[in-house]
Amino acid sequence: MNAESVSIRRARRDDVPAIVAMLADDHLGRARERVEDPLPAAYDDAFARVERDPNLTLVVAESEGRVVGCLQLAILPGISSQGGVRGLLEDVRVAADCRSRGIGERLVQWAIAEAKARGCNLVELLTHASRVDAQRFYKRLGFAASHVGMTVRF
């Protein structure tokens, strides 16, 4: 499988288990996510909220009927930058056995094109400071470190 054989489509409810499994497949996700059968209802509730919000788009990369990647694009209208609209990439993941095949790059390129088509003047993303491989990946795609992120958890 390579990136050319992958299709990108809007996520469906039945994709949620595969998406959660990819979100849980690293040192940070293992502590945050609950991969159980059945999944906790919170995931279905979250999927329904994403589906209802016209400014959120959750997509998957699929190959031969298998979900092998995902990302969420948030369109954020604002007042700053003369009313500029930003695209925010979240939860970019590729299944562990499918990495280094161009799938993540294809997903990000799709999201950038979609953000442009929806009137965004920039695309931003957040990645955890410990994800150095992800940081190298995003820099290779033209992203530059430009912010200092901060978090407060409840």
Side-chain angles (χ1 to χ4, degrees):
M1 169 198 358
N2 57 33
E4 289 79 39
S5 68
V6 169
S7 61
I8 297 173
R9 62 167 173 77
R10 192 171 193 96
R12 299 183 301 250
R13 166 57 197 96
D14 63 333
D15 297 323
V16 173
I19 293 168
V20 172
M22 286 184 287
L23 294 173
D25 188 24
D26 70 15
H27 67 285
L28 296 172
R30 276 189 287 282
R32 288 195 289 237
E33 308 304 336
R34 289 179 48 200
V35 180
E36 302 168 1
D37 188 16
L39 286 175
Y43 291 109
D44 284 332
D45 296 344
F47 182 80
R49 287 191 307 274
V50 168
E51 279 293 289
R52 284 192 304 268
D53 191 326
N55 287 321
L56 299 178
T57 305
L58 178 62
V59 298
V60 296
E62 183 179 56
S63 178
E64 299 176 5
R66 178 182 170 212
V67 172
V68 296
C70 63
L71 71 70
Q72 181 172 297
L73 172 63
I75 305 298
L76 304 171
I79 301 297
S80 69
S81 300
Q82 302 175 45
V85 179
R86 293 177 292 137
L88 177 64
L89 297 184
E90 292 282 335
D91 300 329
V92 179
R93 298 289 193 283
V94 173
D97 64 328
C98 298
R99 293 182 187 144
S100 299
R101 298 181 189 185
I103 297 167
E105 181 173 350
R106 181 133 181 250
L107 278 163
V108 171
Q109 289 173 339
W110 176 91
I112 290 170
E114 180 69 12
K116 285 179 184 177
R118 293 187 59 184
C120 294
N121 58 355
L122 62 90
V123 173
E124 297 177 316
L125 59 86
L126 303 170
T127 188
H128 195 274
S130 67
R131 289 189 168 123
V132 293
D133 289 340
Q135 292 167 38
R136 276 193 296 274
F137 167 75
Y138 293 123
K139 285 178 184 175
R140 185 174 58 77
L141 295 180
F143 288 85
S146 60
H147 296 77
V148 174
M150 300 177 152
T151 302
V152 61
R153 294 202 186 271
F154 305 106

